[in-house]
Amino acid sequence: MSADAPSAAVVLPANASQYVPITPVRMARTWVENSTPGFGFEAVSTNITKVKMRNSTYFDVPDDAVAVVLNVTVKLAVGIGSVAVYASDAAQPTGWNVYADKVGRTIANLAHVQVGADGYVKVYRTVPTMNVALDIVGYYKSVGAAVSGGRLITLDGGGSRSLDTRTTSTPFTAGTTRVIDVGRKTDGTSNGLPVTAKAVVVTVTAIYGASGYWTAFPNNLGSVPGVSSVNLDSPNQVRAGQAIVPLDGSTTNIKVYSSSGGHLAIDVIGYFTGDGATAETHGLFVPKSTPFRILKTSSLQSLPPWANSTFEVMVDSSKVSGAPTGIGAVAVSLTASDPWANGYLTAYAAGQTRPGTSNLNIDSLFQSRTVTAISPVSTRGLAVYTISGSHVNVDLMGWYLGTPTAAPNPKPTNPTYTPTVAKSVTSNRFIGGSGYTRITNPTTPVVVATANSGVNSLIGIADSGKAGVAKG
């Protein structure tokens, strides 16, 4: 859904809306901080609370806001579980916005959530005592016709990388803020982001930093807002999160703060138009009252898909009730679980060349991670690629009106491995190696058994890990 794509000739559906960015602010949290108790949540039941979203007095969210964009954070999870945020008058969704896959996990994720008729959203926690915070970064305002500002435009090719401190050997130091020009690719050329855009959609990936958080925020904001975009809860993790950051109207700069330092990558996915753009309907957002699961690979096969697998799914009325004929992009929640190895997921328009960017990162075995992604779609729908292999869920939160791109490339053929002899076993917990010392959770899973030339070789004893067969 590039800037020069024509608008689809459609009658605007109910809740069609334009995006309005605001300065990020915390709307609710459950825990005590600096002797200040939690605030913003109202109890509904043991596992469900609600938060008022339409609140022009404190948060600049008007009564005609049909959906909000929230950063949902779980802090120091007291148990393994998930958090789902949804419209107060909608059914509880099957999926979730944040999943804590271990005790002590601190993790955040963006969510596009329809607001109930009473102005509230509900928050469901599988663990009732899970500490949760909601930070609002913007809202979608109802419109009845073509508008200039607040429409999504995705970059040609599905996205481009603007920063990778690994390639420049310039990691952030703890407690520092940098100004990043997200209108440029890493080679210095323009990616097409105009200075007139209201806000930019970026994927922020923190790489091998210390425990702490990263915040992407507007260039014209003097101080770091009290919110986070990505959280790391232990050293040497790789975590990604999508953020929508307001622009200042004169540059394509944003600021990024790191509390603890480390490497950072920023991928630009698209932007929301400014008020001086031509009035159009493409790029208007239509939220789903309850997120709808459009892909679940565990329903297709019991074993997780192999490395270098790609799954395509249509996003139209044949798959989703109420979907219009003209959809140019989607807001989805991606979940990777039961991975074969460290790796990443990339969402992109099916049939297009896969961009050299990522949406979700896995940095250890037995992980389950969820990340929100805005992605263009094609006439064949949405594609999700897993480089290392894992189960994949895709939950649809809403779509953006427009013309889907063409799908010139054939559907990728996924690997199908059918050997009868195991080639290797890998583990991240084993006894063996030099001196027979116990090695627990190394950065890279270790091969503890191999089968070469018909001779078996055991170099350790695995007590936790992955056993698999490899083609060859």
Side-chain angles (χ1 to χ4, degrees):
M1 196 171 73
S2 60
D4 58 356
S7 292
V10 296
V11 175
L12 290 184
N15 288 331
S17 56
Q18 63 184 149
Y19 182 69
V20 180
I22 63 175
T23 300
V25 63
R26 180 147 292 174
M27 297 193 79
R29 75 160 190 267
T30 58
W31 63 84
V32 174
E33 188 172 275
N34 298 325
S35 301
T36 302
F39 61 92
F41 288 98
E42 301 176 32
V44 176
S45 65
T46 301
N47 294 80
I48 298 175
T49 54
K50 65 179 183 178
V51 179
K52 187 175 182 180
M53 291 290 122
R54 293 179 185 144
N55 192 331
S56 58
T57 302
Y58 298 105
F59 303 116
D60 297 324
V61 182
D63 289 340
D64 58 353
V66 299
V68 289
V69 181
L70 304 171
N71 211 46
V72 184
T73 302
V74 168
K75 180 180 180 181
L76 298 173
V78 295
I80 296 173
S82 61
V83 176
V85 186
Y86 55 103
S88 58
D89 50 6
Q92 183 180 312
T94 303
W96 51 82
N97 301 106
V98 181
Y99 187 82
D101 57 1
K102 63 181 290 186
V103 174
R105 181 70 79 205
T106 296
I107 192 165
N109 187 31
L110 205 67
H112 303 252
V113 186
Q114 182 169 316
V115 178
D118 60 358
Y120 282 79
V121 299
K122 286 182 178 177
V123 181
Y124 172 76
R125 293 175 284 177
T126 57
V127 179
T129 54
M130 189 89 76
N131 274 323
V132 177
L134 301 184
D135 302 326
I136 187 166
V137 300
Y139 62 89
Y140 291 98
K141 177 182 177 180
S142 178
V143 298
V147 295
S148 299
R151 297 180 293 102
L152 175 71
I153 304 294
T154 54
L155 296 188
D156 291 336
S160 68
R161 181 150 290 181
S162 285
L163 175 73
D164 191 336
T165 62
R166 294 171 298 178
T167 62
T168 56
S169 300
T170 54
F172 280 65
T173 56
T176 59
T177 298
R178 289 187 191 174
V179 176
I180 310 296
D181 185 357
V182 291
R184 299 285 174 183
K185 301 178 184 179
T186 53
D187 63 6
T189 61
S190 173
N191 59 17
L193 175 65
V195 296
T196 55
K198 275 191 174 182
V200 61
V201 182
V202 294
T203 298
V204 179
T205 305
I207 306 163
Y208 302 137
S211 299
Y213 65 91
W214 300 72
T215 301
F217 61 102
N219 181 53
N220 57 358
L221 202 60
S223 58
V224 182
V227 298
S228 62
S229 304
V230 177
N231 297 78
L232 301 182
D233 49 35
S234 63
N236 298 319
Q237 291 178 327
V238 180
R239 279 228 192 125
Q242 199 160 86
I244 303 176
V245 186
L247 294 177
D248 60 18
S250 59
T251 72
T252 52
N253 294 338
I254 66 171
K255 289 179 180 176
V256 178
Y257 169 79
S258 174
S259 71
S260 53
H263 281 294
L264 183 73
I266 296 180
D267 298 323
V268 180
I269 310 303
Y271 61 92
F272 288 94
T273 56
D275 292 334
T278 302
E280 299 278 1
T281 58
H282 77 266
L284 295 178
F285 182 65
V286 181
K288 287 285 292 178
S289 60
T290 300
F292 180 75
R293 181 152 293 174
I294 57 177
L295 176 65
K296 183 179 181 181
T297 60
S298 60
S299 296
L300 305 175
Q301 58 188 78
S302 56
L303 279 175
W306 297 110
N308 297 309
S309 291
T310 301
F311 292 88
E312 295 186 359
V313 59
M314 284 298 299
V315 187
D316 59 12
S317 57
S318 69
K319 186 74 175 180
V320 184
S321 175
T325 55
I327 296 178
V330 290
V332 294
S333 183
L334 304 175
T335 298
S337 61
D338 205 10
W340 288 112
N342 299 354
Y344 61 83
L345 299 185
T346 298
Y348 63 104
Q352 289 281 319
T353 300
R354 175 166 47 86
T357 58
S358 62
N359 299 101
L360 181 154
N361 293 79
I362 290 289
D363 54 26
S364 69
L365 298 177
F366 309 107
Q367 213 166 54
S368 182
R369 190 162 286 176
T370 299
V371 166
T372 287
I374 290 176
S375 174
V377 296
S378 73
T379 53
R380 286 213 315 261
L382 177 73
V384 181
Y385 168 77
T386 169
I387 190 172
S388 57
S390 70
H391 272 311
V392 177
N393 291 343
V394 180
D395 297 315
L396 178 68
M397 293 182 285
W399 54 78
Y400 298 87
L401 302 181
T403 303
T405 64
N409 299 327
K411 184 176 181 180
T413 301
N414 288 339
T416 54
Y417 298 165
T418 57
T420 57
V421 178
K423 295 295 182 181
S424 67
V425 177
T426 61
S427 174
N428 64 352
R429 294 175 60 87
F430 80 103
I431 301 172
S434 176
Y436 297 97
T437 57
R438 182 183 183 90
I439 299 177
T440 301
N441 293 322
T443 302
T444 302
V446 179
V447 175
V448 298
T450 63
N452 296 314
S453 303
V455 179
N456 296 324
S457 173
L458 178 66
I459 62 173
I461 301 172
D463 65 3
S464 177
K466 286 275 189 180
V469 289
K471 186 178 182 180

